């Protein structure tokens, strides 16, 4: 009798649905109700299975995909940067701002820190489609991504550069170029004024206000979470830098410049903001005037001296006439740059550098991943001074490992390391319980990936890994970098600027066969650059 009643109820429901469709009331409340029910059932089914995402035909490996009841696909916001090849400027724990070229959007996050992939992709110009039967989302990059770069671009016209500042008589150009590039990466949604003073005085390197520095030193300071701090907390030139100041944001990714690859520089500028780079600029004004045209605020160095000054590229003009320079280069075209010599230099602090300049674009970086200061609960690191040396086996491949002791019941969420050159492939392994090198045999692979550019990168894990309180764990990176002979980045004590590197806090290893492991602190005088990021485990 009970079975008959259930069957009768289902028949009545079917009859009601049929009547609604037969009536042609496609805009009726009943239709909306049944469509909503159908979508919720579909979403529930999809979330129980495997949903895949493809970008330009290549499958992306993503953990934590979620199909909402309205059939919109959500994913952890930390994965948007790599998936959509966009810059990620974090507004806070409830929102995120994205930029890809001139396209930009701001999205709200749900309680799990996820963002609407459907909305993000369409806002940034991707074609988005979802096949319910195959449980597959397809994204096609915007056509303009394949088109030629514009002949002219200026970040000032897009509200993505901060004002010109003055380093005064100190040798702190590198700090000004670094903080300016980082501030630009967060514009226009977030406006920051970061402290150059703190960067110089608390970088950990054996340098002072008059000793100079470069982008690798600034990146090490940012990546270790010692900064950046705000200018208000540590004003420039006051001779005091407090130990208590905390990082306002966390830098998790940076791309290094390929040697004089101007297309790469242009794409970095238009996507991420100011690009920090080095040039030669004579410290003597009379000599500087041999290469600098005051009337046109243009610079073209033809000598053979090495780099000694750091600036920021904020745009370009392919048609900038070579006749604007004191000595004419072979062709037209120049980068628009921002200096740190105050507004009295150049055109209110800005000037043009010829594409033919001997040094422009030979080295530098762009900050491509900046997150809020509460993005992870803990950072484990031995390499406070970052990449200051390299090692390997005279081969493009090597394995390196770092051992840490968990401070509590935690979940391993991400790892970071340097790609010392473009075209780098990697495998990430974990040894959850480590007591000695023999335990490397118990490693388990977590995931693999490819990094097209050199730089510093944080890799969110597709699946978090439980760490036991008080127990040592080991991370292993099996890396292959095309054309490299020493693909492993070291915090290298023998580098003069990094002579203050503390090797006593590290336990890192290297191998070329996963069998024989060398303790790097003893063999090379350095720590392998490999960090771990964790969150306290939810009870």
């Amino acid at each position: 009798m009970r079975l008959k009643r259930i069957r009768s109820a289902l028949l009545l429901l079917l009859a009601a649905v049929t009547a609604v469709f037969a009536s042609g009331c496609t805009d009726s409340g009943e239709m909306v109700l049944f469509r909503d029910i159908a979508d919720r059932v579909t979403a529930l089914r999809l979330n129980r299975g495997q949903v895949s995402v493809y970008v330009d035909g290549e499958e992306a490996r993503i953990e934590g995909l979620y199909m909402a009841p309205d059939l919109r696909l959500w994913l952890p916001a930390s994965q948007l940067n790599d998936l959509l090849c966009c810059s990620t400027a974090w507004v806070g724990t409830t929102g995120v701002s994205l930029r890809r070229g001139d396209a930009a959007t701001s999205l709200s996050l749900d309680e799990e820190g996820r963002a609407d992939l459907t909305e993000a992709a369409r806002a940034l110009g991707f074609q988005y489609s979802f096949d319910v039967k195959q449980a597959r989302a397809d994204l096609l990059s915007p056509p303009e991504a394949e088109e030629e770069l514009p002949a002219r671009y200026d970040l000032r016209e897009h509200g993505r550069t901060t004002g010109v500042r003055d380093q005064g008589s100190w040798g702190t150009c590198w700090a000004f170029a670094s903080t300016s590039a980082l501030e630009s990466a967060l514009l226009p949604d977030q406006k920051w004024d970061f402290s150059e003073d703190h960067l110089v005085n608390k970088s950990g390197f054996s340098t002072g206000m008059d000793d100079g520095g470069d982008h690798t030193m600034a990146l090490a300071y940012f990546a270790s979470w010692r900064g950046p701090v705000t200018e208000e907390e540590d004003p420039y030139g006051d001779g005091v830098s407090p130990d208590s100041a905390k990082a306002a944001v966390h830098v998790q990714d940076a791309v290094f410049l390929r040697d004089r690859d101007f297309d790469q520089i242009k794409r970095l500028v238009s996507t991420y903001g100011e690009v920090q780079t080095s040039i030669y600029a004579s410290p003597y004004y009379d000599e500087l005037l041999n290469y600098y045209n005051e009337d046109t605020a243009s610079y073209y160095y033809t000598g053979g001296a090495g780099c000694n000054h750091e600036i920021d590229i904020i745009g370009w003009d392919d048609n900038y006439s070579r006749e604007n320079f004191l000595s004419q280069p072979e062709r037209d075209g120049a980068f628009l740059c921002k200096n740190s010599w105050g507004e009295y230099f150049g055109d209110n602090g800005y000037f043009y550098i010829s594409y033919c300049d001997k040094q422009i674009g030979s080295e530098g970086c762009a900050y491509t991943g900046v997150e809020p200061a509460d993005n992870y609960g803990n950072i484990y690191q031995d390499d406070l001074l970052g990449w200051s040396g390299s090692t390997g086996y005279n081969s493009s491949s090597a394995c390196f490992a770092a051992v840490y002791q968990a401070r509590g019941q935690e979940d391993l969420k991400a790892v970071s390391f340097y790609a010392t050159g473009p075209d780098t492939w990697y495998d990430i392994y974990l040894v959850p319980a480590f007591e000695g090198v023999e335990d490397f045999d118990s490693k388990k692979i977590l995931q693999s990936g490819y990094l097209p550019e050199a730089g510093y990168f944080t890799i969110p894990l597709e699946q978090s890994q439980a760490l036991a309180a008080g127990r040592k764990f080991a991370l292993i990176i099996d890396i292959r970098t095309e054309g490299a002979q020493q693909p492993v980045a070291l915090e290298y004590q023998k580098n003069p600027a990094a002579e203050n590197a503390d090797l006593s806090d590290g336990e890192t290893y290297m191998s070329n066969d996963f069998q024989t492991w060398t303790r790097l602190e003893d063999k090379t005088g350095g720590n392998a650059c490999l960090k771990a990021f964790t969150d306290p485990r939810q009870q």
Side-chain angles (χ1 to χ4, degrees):
M1 181 64 69
R2 177 179 175 82
L3 187 60
K4 289 183 179 179
R5 288 176 180 172
I6 294 174
R7 183 179 180 185
S8 299
L10 288 173
L11 289 173
L12 288 172
L13 177 60
L14 178 61
V17 174
T18 304
V20 171
F21 275 90
S23 69
C25 297
T26 56
D27 294 326
S28 68
E30 289 87 350
M31 278 295 295
V32 172
L33 173 63
F34 287 118
R35 180 70 268 167
D36 180 66
I37 293 173
D39 287 348
R40 288 176 180 273
V41 171
T42 300
L44 182 63
R45 174 175 63 83
L46 291 171
N47 285 325
R48 287 177 174 173
Q50 179 64 45
V51 177
S52 56
V53 176
Y54 286 76
V55 180
D56 297 329
E58 295 285 336
E59 185 173 10
R61 301 180 65 178
I62 303 172
E63 180 201 9
L65 281 169
Y66 169 70
M67 181 63 71
D70 59 0
L71 298 187
R72 298 174 75 86
L73 198 58
W74 292 63
L75 84 167
S78 60
Q79 300 183 45
L80 286 169
N81 191 328
D82 293 333
L83 183 67
L84 302 181
C85 296
C86 60
S87 62
T88 309
W90 293 78
V91 176
T93 56
T94 60
V96 61
S97 294
L98 308 174
R99 177 176 290 277
R100 180 185 168 102
D102 289 332
T105 187
S106 294
L107 305 174
S108 297
L109 306 184
D110 66 9
E111 294 179 353
E112 302 297 326
R114 296 177 297 215
D116 186 341
L117 174 61
T118 312
E119 182 179 349
R122 288 172 177 164
L124 297 182
F126 287 80
Q127 295 182 33
Y128 175 90
S129 62
F130 189 83
D131 188 314
V132 173
K133 291 184 178 180
Q134 297 186 41
R136 167 173 167 164
D138 275 280
L139 288 78
L140 295 178
S141 295
E144 60 268 26
E146 302 300 325
E147 293 179 356
E148 292 294 323
L149 288 157
R152 178 186 174 280
Y153 191 84
D154 186 342
L155 285 173
R156 295 175 298 182
E157 298 173 358
H158 301 271
R160 299 177 59 199
T161 183
T162 55
V164 172
R165 293 169 186 155
D166 191 346
Q167 69 187 73
S169 60
W170 287 296
T172 53
C173 60
W174 65 284
F176 279 83
S178 300
T179 56
S180 183
L182 182 55
E183 290 163 2
S184 176
L186 293 164
L187 287 171
D189 300 286
Q190 297 186 56
K191 296 182 180 180
W192 291 92
D193 184 0
F194 295 130
S195 170
E196 294 82 15
D197 226 41
H198 197 271
L199 169 51
V200 174
N201 295 326
K202 296 299 181 180
S203 68
F205 291 90
S206 57
T207 54
M209 295 288 283
D210 273 329
D211 297 320
D214 62 22
H215 63 281
T216 62
M217 294 166 61
L219 176 57
Y221 162 85
F222 294 143
S224 65
W225 291 5
R226 286 169 293 168
V229 308
T230 64
E231 180 70 13
E232 183 179 5
E233 290 179 284
D234 189 355
Y236 184 64
D238 64 357
V240 178
S241 290
D243 292 325
S244 58
K246 302 296 183 183
V249 296
H250 287 164
V251 173
Q252 301 293 155
D253 298 279
V255 167
F256 293 147
L257 301 187
R258 298 175 184 240
D259 185 20
R260 296 178 64 78
D261 185 335
F262 292 170
D263 277 355
Q264 183 211 29
I265 292 173
K266 292 175 181 179
R267 295 188 189 281
L268 288 172
V269 169
S270 62
T271 303
Y272 300 105
E274 296 178 20
V275 168
Q276 179 180 359
T277 189
S278 303
I279 63 170
Y280 174 78
S282 173
Y284 305 106
Y285 199 68
D286 289 344
E287 181 184 343
L288 184 71
L289 291 179
N290 293 328
Y291 310 104
Y292 175 64
N293 187 339
E294 289 185 291
D295 294 333
T296 58
S298 60
Y299 184 78
Y300 170 40
Y301 179 65
T302 59
C307 297
N308 69 344
H309 186 51
E310 300 253 328
I311 58 170
D312 293 297
I313 297 174
I314 71 163
W316 66 87
D317 186 347
D318 292 343
N319 298 315
Y320 190 81
S321 175
R322 61 179 184 163
E323 295 180 0
N324 288 321
F325 301 96
L326 287 180
S327 59
Q328 291 190 10
E330 296 178 357
R331 61 186 176 113
D332 293 340
F335 284 111
L336 175 61
C337 301
K338 183 172 76 171
N339 208 350
S340 54
W341 293 349
E343 296 183 355
Y344 292 103
F345 173 82
D347 181 8
N348 294 314
Y350 301 93
F351 67 118
Y352 284 93
I353 298 183
S354 169
Y355 289 158
C356 298
D357 183 90
K358 293 296 184 180
Q359 301 294 351
I360 187 70
S362 59
E363 57 185 54
C365 77
Y367 299 104
T368 57
V370 188
E371 301 183 13
D374 60 354
N375 57 344
Y376 297 110
N378 285 311
I379 181 173
Y380 289 85
Q381 58 183 339
D382 298 323
D383 57 326
L384 292 176
L385 301 189
W387 180 19
S388 50
S390 299
T391 189
Y393 296 96
N394 294 319
S395 167
S396 62
S397 300
C399 307
F400 60 101
V403 178
Y404 298 107
Q405 186 172 21
R407 301 173 190 135
Q409 295 291 107
E410 296 180 289
D411 289 323
L412 177 66
K413 305 295 287 188
V415 304
S416 70
F417 52 90
Y418 289 86
T420 58
D423 296 320
T424 292
W425 287 260
Y426 64 85
D427 297 314
I428 303 172
Y429 296 85
L430 173 67
V431 179
F434 182 89
E435 294 182 3
V437 293
E438 64 278 0
D439 292 319
F440 282 129
D441 291 339
S442 64
K443 66 185 181 300
K444 65 174 183 177
I445 189 165
L446 302 184
Q447 64 195 65
S448 304
Y450 167 72
L451 299 168
E453 303 287 3
Y456 169 76
F457 302 99
T458 300
I459 313 298
L461 297 181
E462 296 166 6
Q463 184 173 355
S464 60
Q465 301 293 315
L467 302 175
R471 174 171 288 178
K472 284 187 174 182
F473 65 95
L475 291 170
I476 306 171
I477 305 297
D478 184 10
I479 201 166
R480 178 167 66 88
T481 300
E482 285 295 307
Q485 296 297 304
Q486 296 181 318
V488 179
L490 290 177
E491 179 196 42
Y492 189 50
Q493 197 176 50
K494 294 181 182 179
N495 182 307
E499 62 184 4
N500 291 336
D502 181 6
L503 304 187
S504 65
D505 64 348
E507 184 178 356
T508 61
Y509 299 86
M510 187 172 69
S511 174
N512 65 350
D513 59 5
F514 279 107
Q515 300 298 318
T516 303
W517 293 88
T518 299
R519 178 75 179 264
L520 286 172
E521 289 80 4
D522 299 332
K523 184 71 174 179
T524 67
N527 293 308
C529 296
L530 176 54
K531 303 181 193 289
F533 303 91
T534 66
D535 281 335
R537 187 165 317 139
Q538 299 297 321
Q539 301 298 326

